[in-house]
Amino acid sequence: MKTSVCIIGGGPSGLMLSQLLHLKGIDTVVLERQSREYVLRRIRAGVLEHGFAALMREAQCGERMDREGEIHDGFIIAHNGKQRRVDLHKYSHGSSVVVYGQTELTRDLYEARDRMNGIIIHNVEDVQLHDLLSANPHVTYRTGDEVARIDCDYIIGADGFHGVSRKSIPKTVLKEYEKVYPFGWLGVLSRTRPVSPELVYARHDRGFALCSLRSQVLSRYYIQVPLTDNIEDWPDDKFWDELKRRLPEEIAARLVTGPSIEKSIAPLRSYVAEPMRYGSLFLAGDAAHIVPPTGARGLNSAASDIYYLYHALLAHYQNNDNTGLDTYSEKALARVWKAQRFSWWMTTMLHTFPESNFYDQKLQQTDLEYLFSSEMAQGALAENYVGLPF
Ligand code: FAD
Ligand code: DHB
């Protein structure tokens, strides 16, 4: 098979790029290791910055997001029983975020690709990237016993943190920056009314807690847990008890509990791979960088990569202009590092660290007190949370 752009990974990054390019008449094939059902079962991000929402609309996939998603103009930070509302609208020149689940937007992207007869090949195994430094790279993969080959101009590595694309860049070229945090997030989805109309990020001596939502009847909660914990250690009753203990009393008193419909533990990690281009291969999204989820930057950082790549490929195919492709890595990484800094800062400010000493604890407390008392500090938080410009 021959295509212009072969995209490895059918997560939000890969599907979004495929859809945007298709609308401009550029041919793509998407290779996905899992089945569609599996991809759509994964519960991940919930908060979209306005730039991501705009990209969904540009991809002609924003209709349901605009109908069912919730616009949030602010969120709550709780600390030592006190609460502070961060007014996103006020501090970011009228910007806001959209609460709309990654599962739903992935479904919308799949449906759009189906409507346009986009090629997405699922359940591919043993994907291999070849001749990356040539102008004629190709990809091979296996489905069952059959081995297939795709010739293309460019390969996009949008296959997440555990994908094959980044690993295809020689170790002598790839520079990796990593920070692993000594805890994870236990997430619970429940068919209950959310405890608060706006998200609540709570710092507590017992550990961080987050109250989020997917709709007015679907809640998403997280608590910080040690890395050694398993799902079996957290029956529903224990989870709800622990969540309540970490929230300010008046919020805890309103919490409606119910059976969990999904429960998972995600370790927290900060990671960046540089460069994001190697010959004909371009990395995008989690394949190149990971943030701890505090601050909701993961999916949103993927969106800016896709924005840059989309415009770079467009300039190449429409005007034979390679400037965007040649500067992609540098441009994408500049924004990636800002998301890294913000996510690290939010994580450090809001979690309890097992190894922290009194000095670290005082600094953390001061950080929160400064945030609570300074409009400038809240402004900087808001500017990053709604998303820096692409
Ligand atoms: P992915 O969504 O990882 O998609 C990559 C795709 O590539 C997958 O479908 C995978 O099956 C496929 N693939 C992998 N290897 C291969 C291969 N060899 N061949 C073909 N296909 C392959 N972000 C937030 O902002 N808020 C959150 O609450 C949040 N929670 C998260 C929880 C978890 C458990 C994880 C893992 C991530 C979370 N994130 C969160 C981050 C956010 O979900 C990601 O940033 C986002 O999914 C990135 O999209 P992506 O398309 O780049 O990568
Ligand atoms: C969600 C996850 C986040 O990491 C975050 O900062 C906000 C919301 C969520 O899953 O709803």
Side-chain angles (χ1 to χ4, degrees), residues 148-377:
R149 168 178 172 142
I150 300 180
D151 290 279
C152 55
D153 304 329
Y154 296 109
I155 300 172
I156 308 300
D159 47 353
F161 185 66
H162 300 288
V164 66
S165 301
R166 188 182 67 250
K167 292 173 195 146
S168 307
I169 302 178
K171 281 206 176 316
T172 47
V173 174
L174 199 73
K175 228 174 160 166
E176 296 176 282
Y177 302 86
E178 184 170 39
K179 183 176 178 66
V180 176
Y181 299 85
F183 41 74
W185 277 18
L186 167 63
V188 160
L189 189 71
S190 69
R191 243 179 262 292
T192 51
R193 188 174 170 70
V195 69
S196 159
E198 293 187 336
L199 270 70
V200 180
Y201 289 82
R203 202 219 81 95
H204 192 278
D205 289 344
R206 297 181 67 85
F208 170 75
L210 170 61
C211 306
S212 183
L213 61 148
R214 292 291 177 272
S215 72
Q216 283 311 307
V217 291
L218 199 55
S219 300
R220 180 72 166 158
Y221 296 106
Y222 298 95
I223 57 171
Q224 172 187 349
V225 294
L227 277 176
T228 43
D229 281 12
N230 298 307
I231 297 298
E232 297 72 42
D233 300 322
W234 287 96
D236 288 357
D237 286 349
K238 184 175 167 191
F239 173 82
W240 293 120
D241 283 348
E242 186 59 35
L243 176 63
K244 276 186 194 165
R245 294 173 82 163
R246 297 183 187 189
L247 297 175
E249 263 175 42
E250 63 177 285
I251 297 180
R254 290 200 306 265
L255 185 72
V256 181
T257 63
S260 61
I261 50 178
E262 195 266 355
K263 197 185 278 171
S264 50
I265 295 182
L268 267 65
R269 180 198 300 270
S270 297
Y271 173 90
V272 182
E274 292 187 356
M276 286 172 64
R277 175 190 187 173
Y278 179 68
S280 314
L281 168 67
F282 293 81
L283 301 179
D286 278 19
H289 42 80
I290 298 281
V291 284
T294 338
R297 291 303 83 199
L299 183 55
N300 292 306
S301 294
S304 63
D305 295 350
I306 296 307
Y307 177 88
Y308 295 136
L309 262 182
Y310 164 53
H311 286 282
L313 288 164
L314 216 54
H316 168 80
Y317 283 108
Q318 290 186 338
N319 306 321
N320 207 16
D321 174 359
N322 286 337
T323 322
L325 292 174
D326 291 340
T327 56
Y328 168 70
S329 180
E330 195 187 329
K331 210 165 164 182
L333 282 165
R335 195 175 187 278
V336 160
W337 275 108
K338 288 179 189 138
Q340 290 282 326
R341 186 207 66 80
F342 178 67
S343 307
W344 160 82
W345 171 70
M346 284 278 277
T347 304
T348 307
M349 181 173 66
L350 293 170
H351 289 73
T352 51
F353 286 75
E355 303 289 304
S356 77
N357 59 26
F358 289 137
Y359 180 85
D360 300 328
Q361 289 161 22
K362 274 282 185 194
L363 270 191
Q364 190 187 45
Q365 215 164 5
T366 308
D367 212 359
L368 275 154
E369 279 161 16
Y370 173 57
L371 179 66
F372 274 35
S373 64
S374 162
E375 292 208 24
M376 300 278 248

Side-chain angles (χ1 to χ4, degrees), residues 9-11 15 29-40 42 106 110 113-114 118-125 141-144:
L15 294 172
V29 171
V30 177
L31 297 179
E32 167 57 51
R33 189 175 56 179
Q34 306 288 356
S35 68
R36 181 180 296 204
E37 295 68 37
Y38 182 95
V39 173
L40 289 174
R42 295 190 295 222
T106 307
Y110 269 131
R113 298 312 299 120
D114 287 350
I119 304 177
I120 304 172
I121 305 170
H122 283 277
N123 302 310
V124 297
E125 291 173 76
Y141 64 93
R142 202 163 43 74
T143 41

